[in-house]
Amino acid sequence: MIIAIELVYIVSALLFAMGLKLLSSPATARRGNLVSAFGMLLAVGATLFHQGILEFQYIAIGVVVGGLIGAVAAQRVAMTAMPEMVALFNGFGGAASLLVGWSEYVRDPQAMTLFLSVTILLAVLIGGVTFFGSLVAWAKLQDLKLGPLKVGPAFLYPGQQFVNSLLLLGMVAAGVMFALEPAGATAETYFYVVIGISLLLGVLSVMPIGGADMPVVISLLNSYSGLAACAAGFVIQNNILIVAGSLVGASGIILTQIMCKAMNRSLGNVLFSGFGAVSTGPAKGSGEQGEAKPISPEDTYLILEAASSVCVVPGYGLAVAQAQHVVKELGDLLEANGCEVKYAIHPVAGRMPGHMNVLLAEADVPYDNLVEMDDINPIIETIDVCLVIGANDVVNPSAREDESSAIYGMPIIDVDKAKTVIVSKRSLATGFAGIQNPLFFKDNTRMLFGDAKASVQAVVSEFKGH
């Protein structure tokens, strides 16, 4: 029987690996998600059967209630709120691992071994940091306020790193005392100290991170949730949970490193620099550098109608305006007019990894038309029109030209090098990084002010009218 269960686990692990492979391409991502979900279904079923659980009524209730909550949330969540949902998913995964470790300790403290106590501590520690860190990330993405404190910007205070170091040392000390004598009279106290500090560290580790770095934080917390699940797998000696957690943890940290590279920053800089913190003094490189030149939808139509190549650069404003479908319609009209249309995606555009890819996939934009930053930049000078919709920081030439800018050195999509740039934006307000964008004042830039969906729809109407 045990051999049969382990064989099912091997099949599940293969399905997980296959699902991850399919998730690497937008064309196969949905199928990859289904393959991985089926693998998890097999793993859960095999585990329940192996444990000899015959009374499934409570489990069935949990599956039904959880399934209904998930189905309703998936149907009703707006694309602008997708990053918040992912943050909560990460947090709940961490909370589950914390509860698994906690329950295993409470179940029989006298049976604790050194190995079991260490793995329980890891599950509790990483799970607690993930849970509360993800809640803070969710609050930042929601731009919530706690009284006079605005959660979104980076929050720094004097001695912050010293306080975090003390907390970490205190947690390590409490963990060592617990592991040395997990069945002792004071072990329970040390255990709860570890839980409390892990939750506090979750808050304090994410609060100093600015809103512009949230895509990196989301992928890092995703990695944490996988590592917590892996530790929980060692706690309950479940091989498939170890495998699943390892895959999530590894893929999350790889994605985190890719996104840090895309910003030309180290992970340590993202976590500890306080980028985006509110400053009382003038921001360097933030002054306006000329006068913006507005353009009407009618004139935008005339420019696009004459173009032979157009590159659309989406950003968070596209998600806010829910403009992906009308952008796809404009792209179809341009292609019918003999124009080559591409969609350039910056790795950290939006509020989570792959945010723009998800938006455009929802609108059925052909996957072959999506190009990465490194592929579009070498040919961008040959592009007739770059249509920037809702993007700001990822097209800010200050990253390339202004050494005093906070984002100097960050790779961007060089839209300012195109022959003509049309920026669809509500106003000249700064992006999530809080830095003014000199692109708006370039000689070859025109500003199409207004809601992105309404503006693009007006251009589409011009095409149809002619």
Side-chain angles (χ1 to χ4, degrees), residues 302-369:
L302 293 175
I303 293 175
L304 292 175
E305 194 274 337
S308 60
S309 58
V310 172
C311 176
V312 179
V313 182
Y316 185 65
L318 179 77
V320 173
Q322 291 288 281
Q324 61 269 27
H325 295 284
V326 70
V327 168
K328 167 64 164 54
E329 186 178 5
L330 176 61
D332 291 342
L333 290 170
L334 288 169
E335 290 180 337
N337 194 45
C339 179
E340 181 184 16
V341 180
K342 297 182 181 296
Y343 299 81
I345 310 297
H346 193 283
V348 294
R351 297 294 183 268
M352 71 174 184
H355 197 179
M356 297 301 103
N357 301 73
V358 173
L359 278 175
L360 296 176
E362 185 196 26
D364 294 324
V365 171
Y367 305 124
D368 293 339
N369 288 7

Side-chain angles (χ1 to χ4, degrees), residues 295-307 459 462-463 466:
I295 191 173
S296 65
E298 294 80 7
D299 290 338
T300 301
Y301 156 73
L302 293 175
I303 293 175
L304 292 175
E305 194 274 337
V459 177
E462 289 294 320
F463 265 97
H466 288 78

Side-chain angles (χ1 to χ4, degrees), residues 16 20 40 86-98 119 122-131 134 217-235 238-254 256:
F16 292 158
L20 276 176
M40 183 56 71
V86 173
L88 290 178
F89 282 166
N90 293 336
F92 291 151
S97 299
L98 186 154
T119 54
L122 288 175
V124 167
L125 164 61
I126 305 174
V129 170
T130 305
F131 178 50
S134 297
V217 176
I218 294 297
S219 60
L220 183 63
L221 289 170
N222 178 252
S223 178
Y224 286 174
S225 69
L227 295 175
C230 181
F234 280 107
V235 169
N238 186 279
N239 291 331
I240 194 60
L241 185 55
I242 296 172
V243 170
S246 300
L247 289 173
V248 174
S251 58
I253 200 65
I254 290 171
T256 301

Side-chain angles (χ1 to χ4, degrees), residues 20-74:
L20 276 176
K21 175 64 177 177
L22 294 173
L23 284 170
S24 64
S25 169
T28 57
R30 289 184 179 180
R31 188 161 14 117
N33 197 33
L34 290 174
V35 168
S36 299
F38 181 68
M40 183 56 71
L41 179 63
L42 287 179
V44 171
T47 300
L48 294 177
F49 184 78
H50 176 56
Q51 296 298 324
I53 300 175
L54 300 180
E55 297 181 1
F56 289 94
Q57 61 268 30
Y58 296 113
I59 295 174
I61 292 172
V63 169
V64 172
V65 173
L68 287 174
I69 293 173
V72 172

